[in-house]
Amino acid sequence: MSLPGSRAPGFGDDFPRVYNTDKPRGHELEEDTRVWDIYLDQAKKYDADMIQGFRNIIDDLLVF
C-alpha cells in the first residue's frame, strides 16, 4: 500500500527499477541505501534548475 504523494516527483512507474532495492529494517541509513541515491538525483535536478534560473536572471540584468 502506498500513501498519496509518496512517490518521488519526476518518476513514473519505473521508479522501483531505477534504484536498488530497500535494505532490511535497521539498515535504512547506511551509505549504500536507496534513500541516498534518490536524494542525490533529486538534489542534482533541483540544483540544475536553480542554476539555470540564476543564469536567466543574470542575462536579463546584463541587458539593462
Side-chain angles (χ1 to χ4, degrees), residues 7-58:
R7 191 171 287 230
F11 293 99
D13 293 332
D14 60 338
F15 172 74
R17 287 180 262 159
V18 173
Y19 300 103
N20 57 357
T21 58
D22 285 329
K23 294 279 187 171
R25 287 192 182 249
H27 300 278
E28 295 93 351
L29 296 179
E30 292 177 358
E31 63 184 54
D32 62 340
T33 56
R34 179 164 56 172
V35 68
W36 301 121
D37 294 335
I38 296 170
Y39 171 79
L40 289 174
D41 285 348
Q42 292 296 313
K44 285 178 190 176
K45 290 177 188 177
Y46 178 81
D47 291 346
D49 289 343
M50 189 168 48
I51 294 294
Q52 186 60 43
F54 288 151
R55 286 182 180 158
N56 292 340
I57 290 171
I58 293 296

